[in-house]
Amino acid sequence: LKKIAVIVAGGSGNRMLLQTPKQFMIIHGKPLLFHTLNVFARINDSVSIVLVLPEKHIELWRQLCEEHKITIAHTIVSGGPTRFHSVKSGLKECDKFPDDSVVAIHDGVRPFVSEEVIKNGFEIAARKGSAIPVVPIIETIREVSGSLSKTVPREKYCLVQTPQFFHLPQIIDAYRIPYSETFTDDAAVFETSGRQVHLIDGNRENVKITQPSDILMAETLFEILK
Amino acid sequence: LKKIAVIVAGGSGNRMLLQTPKQFMIIHGKPLLFHTLNVFARINDSVSIVLVLPEKHIELWRQLCEEHKITIAHTIVSGGPTRFHSVKSGLKECDKFPDDSVVAIHDGVRPFVSEEVIKNGFEIAARKGSAIPVVPIIETIREVSGSLSKTVPREKYCLVQTPQFFHLPQIIDAYRIPYSETFTDDAAVFETSGRQVHLIDGNRENVKITQPSDILMAETLFEILK
């Protein structure tokens, strides 16, 4: 069974108020993106890695790889204007893989996904077509509508993470759908194409690094988890 | 205008798999609960602090106060079997305050609420009856129903934090309602009694310390924020 990881690192970094896009920030001595790639590289079975980067960052990433002696094998693909378009570019590169492949589509800024989630995700997606990691919401949530709002039962909702795992031909087919702003993740694309999404347990530490304070939290998490 | 903080620290600590309940963990050299009390003690206007603790932890807290030379003035009240009952005990202690008081009801394990949120919350609640801090949900969320699930538009939802601010007589009256398991926060109690909840912006760092890994993240946040 062929395993692929499409890692999307398209963020422009404007939310960080920093020159360096967040995926290139140095955490624990290496670029954040290295740590994310490394989770897949460390898995026993060989996983082919496709990295989707904005055109303007490809050269920077190559320099970082040289500087930090990063030797993880990966194919670099140029991304598009939105996450949807970037994932589509990544999947296009996967056309060459066999029909029984499974693909993990993952955010470049989530280096803390556990090995267990990855192994489980590939296995479940191979059997069921998809595997989407979710974690419970531990805070109270409210539904807002204009100036009105109401408490909603939180046990009815969950937070969705990446990597999201799919049977390769099915997700390639799903991504033939026209782009919509409501596609905040791949599961939304998959289900809009009429397929059913299968949920699995995620790991809570698998947070998205999006703000300056997240960087220092990430340093701490490395100390705890590695 | 009289300002009161009711701080609820009723957690049994079983989620932490540790002997010490999380509110008593030493972070940045002091018990976590000290840091939470201190946010209110540092506000320029004097805020009366009512601390609700499980009966069995009151002596431990007194010892910690002595050991760590904690001199923040506060009244200690014994809590009940659920958060609802503990808040109710705390509010009973507030009966002695004037009718135009505003009260902030806060989780003992949230030491990172910003001074701005506290000042704004008291002010808005004095004018509008309530002020509930919320932050946007930055991850994708799904609604789960049995084995089925669907993406929901995340901009329609927000995460609710504490402190939650109320006009004192109104929240005391709201808490006359019989207990229900659906009361995960004070806003739910307030709106079930027929009153309307007013949302304000929270600060994202104001997380709940609930797991062992949160403790180390909290240490880091203290370095960044203080």
Side-chain angles (χ1 to χ4, degrees):
Chain A
L1 191 74
K2 179 69 199 157
K3 291 172 184 155
I4 312 155
V6 170
I7 295 172
V8 189
S12 64
N14 48 357
R15 255 193 295 188
M16 297 294 278
L17 305 168
L18 288 169
Q19 291 288 17
T20 316
K22 51 197 174 305
Q23 58 269 28
F24 303 130
M25 298 286 293
I26 305 302
I27 296 203
H28 215 64
K30 301 263 190 191
L32 178 54
L33 196 48
F34 160 80
H35 296 293
T36 308
L37 264 64
N38 198 32
V39 186
F40 289 94
R42 272 197 322 243
I43 301 286
N44 267 339
D45 310 296
S46 94
V47 177
S48 294
I49 300 175
V50 175
L51 175 62
V52 188
L53 283 172
E55 182 65 40
K56 64 173 176 186
H57 291 149
I58 292 179
E59 193 43 41
L60 169 60
W61 173 244
R62 288 198 205 280
Q63 282 168 16
L64 284 170
C65 284
E66 203 166 312
E67 191 183 322
H68 291 275
K69 300 184 172 49
I70 295 170
T71 57
I72 298 171
H74 63 282
T75 308
I76 298 173
V77 169
S78 162
T82 71
R83 188 182 187 283
F84 176 90
H85 298 97
S86 293
V87 171
K88 204 171 163 134
S89 300
L91 289 173
K92 200 162 173 239
E93 181 66 27
C94 300
D95 251 349
K96 62 186 178 199
F97 295 116
D99 259 6
D100 63 347
S101 301
V102 279
V103 59
I105 304 176
H106 190 47
D107 296 331
V109 290
R110 286 191 190 260
F112 297 115
V113 55
S114 72
E115 202 174 308
E116 196 190 342
V117 167
I118 294 179
K119 286 185 167 166
N120 191 33
F122 276 127
E123 195 211 309
I124 302 279
R127 284 195 284 121
K128 308 218 171 191
S130 69
I132 311 299
V134 296
V135 290
I137 297 184
I138 59 165
E139 311 209 43
T140 299
I141 61 173
R142 295 184 76 81
E143 190 176 341
V144 186
S145 152
S147 68
L148 294 177
S149 70
K150 63 171 187 206
T151 302
V152 294
R154 64 180 159 195
E155 64 280 7
K156 274 181 62 189
Y157 298 87
C158 55
L159 290 180
V160 183
Q161 305 179 327
T162 78
Q164 301 189 347
F165 303 84
F166 303 94
H167 178 220
L168 181 63
Q170 285 191 56
I171 189 70
I172 288 177
D173 185 60
Y175 261 91
R176 294 206 172 98
I177 206 165
Y179 169 68
S180 153
E181 275 190 0
T182 62
F183 295 150
T184 54
D185 68 349
D186 312 296
V189 177
F190 196 73
E191 70 189 350
T192 305
S193 73
R195 292 167 172 93
Q196 201 184 313
V197 150
H198 188 82
L199 306 184
I200 62 170
D201 288 336
N203 62 305
R204 190 183 162 200
E205 311 77 54
N206 181 17
V207 292
K208 218 166 161 173
I209 308 296
T210 57
Q211 302 209 343
S213 64
D214 293 340
I215 295 286
L216 275 172
M217 282 208 276
E219 284 283 5
T220 308
L221 272 172
F222 268 109
E223 295 302 329
I224 305 170
L225 300 171
K226 303 290 147 159
Chain B
L1 190 76
K2 179 69 199 158
K3 291 172 183 156
I4 312 155
V6 170
I7 295 172
V8 189
S12 63
N14 46 358
R15 257 194 292 188
M16 299 293 279
L17 304 170
L18 288 169
Q19 291 287 17
T20 316
K22 52 198 174 302
Q23 58 269 30
F24 302 130
M25 299 286 292
I26 304 302
I27 296 200
H28 214 62
K30 301 265 189 190
L32 178 53
L33 195 48
F34 160 79
H35 297 292
T36 308
L37 263 63
N38 199 32
V39 186
F40 289 93
R42 272 197 322 245
I43 302 286
N44 266 340
D45 308 296
S46 95
V47 177
S48 294
I49 300 175
V50 175
L51 175 62
V52 188
L53 283 171
E55 181 66 41
K56 65 172 176 188
H57 291 150
I58 291 180
E59 193 43 42
L60 169 61
W61 173 244
R62 288 197 204 280
Q63 283 168 15
L64 284 169
C65 283
E66 204 167 312
E67 192 183 322
H68 292 273
K69 301 186 174 48
I70 295 170
T71 57
I72 298 170
H74 63 282
T75 308
I76 298 173
V77 169
S78 162
T82 72
R83 186 181 188 284
F84 176 90
H85 297 97
S86 293
V87 171
K88 203 169 164 139
S89 300
L91 289 174
K92 200 162 174 240
E93 182 65 27
C94 301
D95 252 347
K96 63 187 176 196
F97 294 116
D99 259 8
D100 63 346
S101 302
V102 279
V103 60
I105 304 177
H106 190 46
D107 296 332
V109 291
R110 288 191 189 261
F112 298 115
V113 55
S114 72
E115 202 173 310
E116 196 191 343
V117 168
I118 293 179
K119 285 183 168 168
N120 191 32
F122 277 127
E123 196 213 309
I124 303 279
R127 283 194 285 121
K128 308 219 171 190
S130 69
I132 311 298
V134 297
V135 290
I137 297 184
I138 59 166
E139 311 208 44
T140 299
I141 61 173
R142 294 185 76 80
E143 189 175 342
V144 185
S145 150
S147 68
L148 294 176
S149 70
K150 63 170 188 209
T151 303
V152 293
R154 64 181 158 192
E155 65 279 6
K156 275 181 61 188
Y157 298 86
C158 56
L159 290 180
V160 183
Q161 305 179 326
T162 78
Q164 301 189 347
F165 304 83
F166 303 94
H167 178 219
L168 181 63
Q170 286 191 56
I171 190 71
I172 288 178
D173 185 60
Y175 262 92
R176 294 208 171 94
I177 207 166
Y179 170 66
S180 153
E181 276 190 358
T182 62
F183 296 150
T184 55
D185 68 349
D186 312 296
V189 177
F190 196 73
E191 71 190 348
T192 305
S193 73
R195 292 168 173 93
Q196 200 185 313
V197 151
H198 188 81
L199 305 185
I200 61 169
D201 288 337
N203 62 304
R204 190 180 163 203
E205 312 77 55
N206 182 18
V207 293
K208 217 166 162 175
I209 309 295
T210 57
Q211 301 209 346
S213 65
D214 293 340
I215 295 287
L216 275 173
M217 282 208 275
E219 285 282 6
T220 308
L221 272 173
F222 268 109
E223 295 302 330
I224 306 168
L225 300 172
K226 302 291 147 159

